């Protein structure tokens, strides 16, 4: 059965293409800086937004039909979603998917009932994966939606809730391993607080660390060799989320000895909510050797919440791809944790959204590669630090100096030194020249 009968297989047709359902930049086999575009950009479909979200917001209900011909909340619907999702991925040339446990099946009345449903759907998904060659990028457990998680999961005040979280993680890890997933994600969900009046922050963070440690040990024991990932976010749903940003999450991982097994899953919209650029979060992760995966979306600079829009801004994708290229690529991929705007409510809109996002990152990759090949950015940066390529500079870098000898050097300078121009506007011109000719 075809769930998108009126929509074609989307393929690369070049920048002159006039067709609406073609890629202008995403050409999977094109080689950029020694690697195929499809290797630089392993795209993934987010099960929850693409097959689940139907437009409900705080002020109104569904605007899109995601029933796929079945009654939502049934296993028939769960299976229809699998079929629709695989058809969608095949038509778009998206090779991977990401899932939460409860994206796949409706939660049962008990842990065991949910597990049975998950086993049933996993058989079905595995079969589809075999038929199509499509793969799993990462799995995760939804430990924020159900009422029991209202005070958090790993940070819950209730030890029984904590164990329910452990049960969900265990099963989601089992599924991720079954599907050959490259990663397992912890997004903070409700790990944070509304008020310090009722919260023991240290106690909660220690418990989260223990849960992650047990998850790591269990995952490794069942043969999971991929990355565990933290997806930082500063707020929403909680007033304060513990995994505020990459720097905070990396500090937490180091404090609790988890930094060898965990990396970052950086979401663009979360970066801007934290008051950073997407590029900043990528840089902080990469320079710590922890750039794992990306949730490819974008926020709205005028709105203070996670709008999860499809990537659109080519400056942003270019800057992001500069970081990704310099890091040598991702161990994970680009998951479109993004949803159509509420009034974009047709199946065509789902296709336009993915074409927009994939082309935006493909163009960003091409432009970032051009900027690197152009050499002026890197050239200027190297020149800017060139005073360190001296005997003195090297001695400082190698820790062979002391404060008094540096002070003596400064004391014998003639006047005050001039560190030179930062050339920001010149560099911005270079970027525009490469972007627009
Ligand atoms: C929410 C997060 C979520 C994670 C997966 O803001 O982005 O969708 O990616 O739990
Ligand atoms: Ni996300
Ligand atoms: Ni998000």
């Amino acid at each position: 059965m075809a769930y998108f009968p009126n929509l074609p297989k989307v393929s690369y047709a070049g920048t002159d293409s006039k067709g609406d359902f073609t890629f202008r930049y995403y050409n999977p086999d094109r080689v950029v800086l020694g690697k195929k575009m499809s290797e630089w950009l392993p795209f993934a479909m987010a099960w929850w937004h693409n097959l689940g979200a139907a437009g409900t917001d705080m002020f109104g209900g569904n605007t899109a039909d995601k029933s796929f011909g079945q009654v939502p909340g049934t296993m028939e619907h769960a299976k229809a979603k699998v079929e629709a999702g695989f058809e969608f991925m095949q038509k778009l040339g998206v090779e991977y998917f990401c899932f939460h446990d409860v994206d796949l099946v409706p939660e049962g009345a008990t842990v065991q009932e949910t597990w049975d449903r998950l086993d049933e759907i996993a058989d079905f998904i595995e079969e589809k994966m075999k038929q199509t060659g499509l793969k799993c990028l990462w799995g995760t457990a939804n430990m924020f939606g159900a009422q029991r998680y209202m005070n958090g999961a790993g940070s819950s005040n209730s030890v029984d809730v904590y164990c329910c979280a452990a049960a969900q993680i265990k099963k989601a890890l089992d599924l991720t391993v079954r599907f050959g997933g490259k990663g397992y994600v912890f997004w903070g969900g409700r790990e944070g607080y509304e008020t310090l009046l009722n919260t023991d922050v240290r106690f909660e963070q220690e418990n989260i660390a223990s849960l992650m440690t047990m998850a790591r040990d269990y995952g490794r024991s069942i043969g999971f060799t991929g990355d565990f990932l933290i997806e930082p976010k500063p707020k929403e749903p909680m007033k304060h989320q513990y995994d505020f940003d990459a720097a905070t999450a990396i500090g937490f991982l180091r404090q609790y000895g988890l930094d060898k097994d965990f990396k970052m899953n950086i979401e663009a919209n979360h970066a801007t909510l934290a008051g950073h650029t997407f590029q900043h979060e990528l840089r902080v992760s990469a320079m710590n050797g922890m750039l794992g995966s990306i949730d490819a979306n974008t926020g709205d600079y005028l709105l203070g919440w996670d709008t999860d829009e499809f990537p659109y801004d080519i400056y942003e994708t270019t800057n992001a791809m500069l970081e990704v290229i310099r890091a040598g690529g991702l161990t994970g991929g680009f998951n479109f944790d993004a949803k159509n705007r509420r009034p974009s409510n047709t199946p065509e809109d789902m296709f336009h959204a993915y074409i927009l996002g994939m082309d935006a990152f493909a163009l960003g990759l091409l432009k970032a590669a051009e900027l690197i090949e152009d050499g002026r950015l890197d050239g200027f940066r190297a020149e800017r630090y060139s005073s360190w390529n001296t005997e003195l500079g090297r001695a400082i870098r190698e820790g062979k100096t002391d404060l008094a000898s540096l002070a003596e050097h400064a004391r014998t300078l003639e006047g005050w030194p001039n560190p030179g121009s930062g050339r920001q506007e010149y560099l911005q011109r270079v970027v525009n020249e490469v972007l627009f000719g």
Side-chain angles (χ1 to χ4, degrees):
M1 178 172 175
Y3 290 86
F4 302 97
N6 303 322
L7 287 153
K9 166 119 186 62
V10 179
S11 36
Y12 173 71
T15 43
D16 297 335
S17 161
K18 295 281 179 284
D20 277 339
F21 296 101
T22 55
F23 294 117
R24 282 165 181 69
Y25 307 102
Y26 182 60
N27 181 2
D29 293 326
R30 174 163 174 188
V31 173
V32 180
L33 299 178
K35 265 204 274 191
K36 283 186 187 178
M37 261 197 178
S38 57
E39 292 169 61
W40 282 117
L41 300 168
F43 289 124
M45 175 188 76
W47 211 271
W48 53 104
H49 283 312
N50 210 42
L51 306 172
T56 292
D57 70 8
M58 305 280 261
F59 302 95
N62 289 349
T63 55
D65 180 5
K66 298 267 174 96
S67 65
F68 303 111
Q70 300 292 341
V71 180
T74 62
M75 284 304 282
E76 288 68 37
H77 180 237
K79 286 183 183 163
K81 278 165 71 179
V82 175
E83 285 180 330
F86 274 75
E87 181 186 334
F88 182 86
M89 289 186 278
Q90 281 183 295
K91 284 191 163 165
L92 268 305
V94 171
E95 268 184 78
Y96 293 87
F97 62 88
C98 297
F99 70 96
H100 300 82
D101 46 0
V102 302
D103 299 333
L104 302 183
V105 294
E107 187 163 71
T110 60
V111 167
Q112 187 60 53
E113 195 183 344
T114 309
W115 283 1
D116 294 342
R117 290 180 184 178
L118 284 168
D119 288 338
E120 188 184 335
I121 207 75
D123 290 341
F124 194 64
I125 292 175
E126 245 180 8
E127 197 51 43
K128 287 272 166 213
M129 292 176 72
K130 272 196 209 115
Q131 283 164 18
T132 59
L134 298 181
K135 295 171 273 190
C136 172
L137 184 67
W138 52 257
T140 188
N142 178 325
M143 308 189 301
F144 45 88
Q147 191 257 9
R148 61 183 175 279
Y149 295 123
M150 67 183 188
N151 295 343
S155 62
S156 180
N157 56 306
S158 156
V159 80
D160 284 346
V161 170
Y162 189 87
C163 293
C164 288
Q168 281 189 244
I169 295 169
K170 176 179 178 293
K171 192 67 183 175
L173 269 165
D174 288 341
L175 294 183
T176 303
V177 170
R178 261 187 87 170
F179 298 156
K182 288 206 218 182
Y184 183 85
V185 165
F186 285 89
W187 164 59
R190 292 181 198 271
E191 316 292 29
Y193 61 78
E194 293 296 342
T195 172
L196 286 173
L197 293 175
N198 66 12
T199 304
D200 186 336
V201 174
R202 180 173 175 166
F203 182 82
E204 293 193 358
Q205 293 197 351
E206 285 170 359
N207 288 348
I208 293 170
S210 301
L211 192 58
M212 288 181 175
T213 304
M214 290 186 277
R216 190 249 342 249
D217 294 345
Y218 177 74
R220 297 304 182 217
S221 80
I222 60 165
F224 177 62
T225 53
D227 294 327
F228 287 91
L229 297 152
I230 284 189
E231 181 180 322
K233 185 176 184 180
K235 57 187 169 187
E236 193 203 17
M238 305 310 270
K239 177 176 88 166
H240 180 94
Q241 302 269 135
Y242 292 141
D243 300 323
F244 194 92
D245 59 5
T248 310
I250 291 168
F252 171 87
L253 292 172
R254 292 206 174 121
Q255 181 174 0
Y256 293 104
L258 292 164
D259 49 309
K260 299 285 173 289
D261 296 276
F262 278 69
K263 289 184 178 154
M264 295 295 116
N265 180 40
I266 295 299
E267 177 164 322
N269 203 159
H270 297 182
T272 49
L273 286 180
H276 303 309
T277 58
F278 182 25
Q279 188 180 16
H280 168 95
E281 288 292 85
L282 296 173
R283 175 75 60 92
V284 170
S285 305
M287 74 188 203
N288 284 288
M290 288 198 203
L291 178 54
S293 210
I294 285 179
D295 267 11
N297 66 10
T298 191
D300 184 313
Y301 286 102
L302 300 182
L303 300 177
W305 63 92
D306 203 13
T307 58
D308 288 339
E309 297 175 31
F310 278 86
Y312 158 71
D313 182 325
I314 304 303
Y315 285 110
E316 199 169 73
T317 58
T318 302
N319 285 330
M321 290 314 297
L322 273 175
E323 301 304 318
V324 171
I325 292 172
R326 286 178 173 142
L330 300 175
T331 46
F334 294 77
N335 166 45
F336 287 112
D337 193 354
K339 56 179 184 262
N340 283 102
R341 296 305 85 198
R342 192 166 183 266
S344 305
N345 61 348
T346 69
E348 286 76 12
D349 290 307
M350 292 166 70
F351 275 59
H352 288 311
Y354 271 71
I355 296 168
L356 168 68
M358 291 164 77
D359 259 351
F361 269 96
L363 183 53
L365 169 66
L366 293 171
K367 292 299 170 186
E370 271 184 59
L371 279 165
I372 288 170
E373 278 167 346
D374 172 277
R376 280 178 287 175
L377 294 188
D378 286 340
F380 178 73
R381 195 159 65 166
E383 185 194 315
R384 184 159 176 264
Y385 291 99
S386 58
S387 75
W388 290 85
N389 302 333
T390 53
E391 208 180 316
L392 175 63
R394 272 191 289 274
I396 298 174
R397 296 284 296 164
E398 288 162 12
K400 291 181 181 152
T401 51
D402 58 31
L403 203 65
S405 64
L406 302 194
E408 183 55 19
H409 174 82
R411 197 183 64 79
T412 54
L413 289 174
E414 279 173 32
W416 296 110
N418 175 359
S421 168
R423 294 262 188 275
Q424 179 168 332
E425 296 77 9
Y426 164 72
L427 298 171
Q428 288 170 326
R429 275 185 46 207
V430 169
V431 171
N432 276 352
E433 276 173 40
V434 168
L435 256 55
F436 304 109

